[in-house]
Amino acid sequence: MQYELINIKTLHTEKEGQLSYFEANRSISFDIKRIYYITQVPAGARRGAHAHKKLVQLLFCPYGNVTVILKNGMDEEHVVLDQPSKGLILHPGLWRDILWNIDNSVLCVAVSDYYDENDYIRDYDDYLSYTKGRGN
Ligand code: T46
């Protein structure tokens, strides 16, 4: 599957909490053109249900716990984001569903391009045709 788990550099102190950071073209291999974050989601809710044709994304959860369910048309894998230091890079062409395991978990995403609805595949049957067309 076209994803990478990365360790986001995290500096911990006993008294003052911790700070995490990453740098475009250093810790991650792409330029960041957009950042968005998802908040106020109740536990049990699901978002996502789409794939991207070209977009590369780094997902991280600085607060809470979400499960990212990934499909490539053949296999399914689950990645739990439950630490500020865990980063998940999704390369294009993966179907993703995201399940909120804890109320108000914050999902942050740094991505390689501006918002473009034409980059989305939001229908699973269309996605399967797309992956077959690409020879996945
Ligand atoms: C993804 C997962 C992890 C914008 O207008 N600009 C934006 O930058 C984004 C991300 C969304 N939108 C609009 C499009 C929809 O009308 O916000 C609305 C909700 O977006 P969507 O239903 O795609 O939200 P999620 O949580 O299902 O998916 C989002 C990202 O869209 C997607 O790229 O991988 O988070």
Side-chain angles (χ1 to χ4, degrees):
M1 284 231 194
Q2 292 295 303
Y3 71 83
E4 298 164 60
L5 281 170
I6 65 162
N7 182 51
I8 298 174
K9 182 92 175 168
T10 297
L11 308 173
H12 178 80
T13 63
E14 281 304 320
K15 290 189 179 165
E16 296 164 328
Q18 60 187 30
L19 180 153
S20 304
Y21 70 93
F22 54 88
E23 296 175 315
N25 296 311
R26 290 184 171 179
S27 347
I28 59 173
S29 58
F30 59 90
D31 273 329
I32 296 166
K33 285 199 178 155
R34 177 166 51 107
I35 291 173
Y36 61 88
Y37 39 91
I38 299 171
T39 56
Q40 300 187 10
V41 180
R46 275 178 184 249
R47 300 186 62 111
H50 59 257
H52 284 283
K53 297 175 197 166
K54 293 187 180 157
L55 199 69
V56 185
Q57 302 174 289
L58 169 64
L59 282 67
F60 55 103
C61 180
Y63 174 81
N65 182 316
V66 299
T67 301
V68 184
I69 301 158
L70 298 168
K71 295 179 188 166
N72 64 2
M74 290 179 297
D75 304 313
E76 175 173 321
E77 294 185 25
H78 292 199
V79 176
V80 175
L81 298 178
D82 57 357
Q83 301 287 336
S85 60
K86 274 195 195 174
L88 172 63
I89 295 178
L90 298 183
H91 293 283
L94 285 178
W95 186 268
R96 85 287 316 267
D97 292 287
I98 301 144
L99 172 63
W100 262 253
N101 298 319
I102 296 179
D103 274 341
N104 297 321
S105 299
V106 176
L107 179 65
C108 298
V109 190
V111 300
S112 63
D113 215 339
Y114 303 118
Y115 175 72
D116 176 8
E117 186 59 33
N118 292 322
D119 190 63
Y120 286 74
I121 305 169
R122 292 192 184 268
D123 178 89
Y124 194 66
D125 289 333
D126 290 347
Y127 171 70
L128 291 177
S129 306
Y130 179 79
T131 56
K132 281 190 190 118
R134 292 194 330 157
N136 279 10

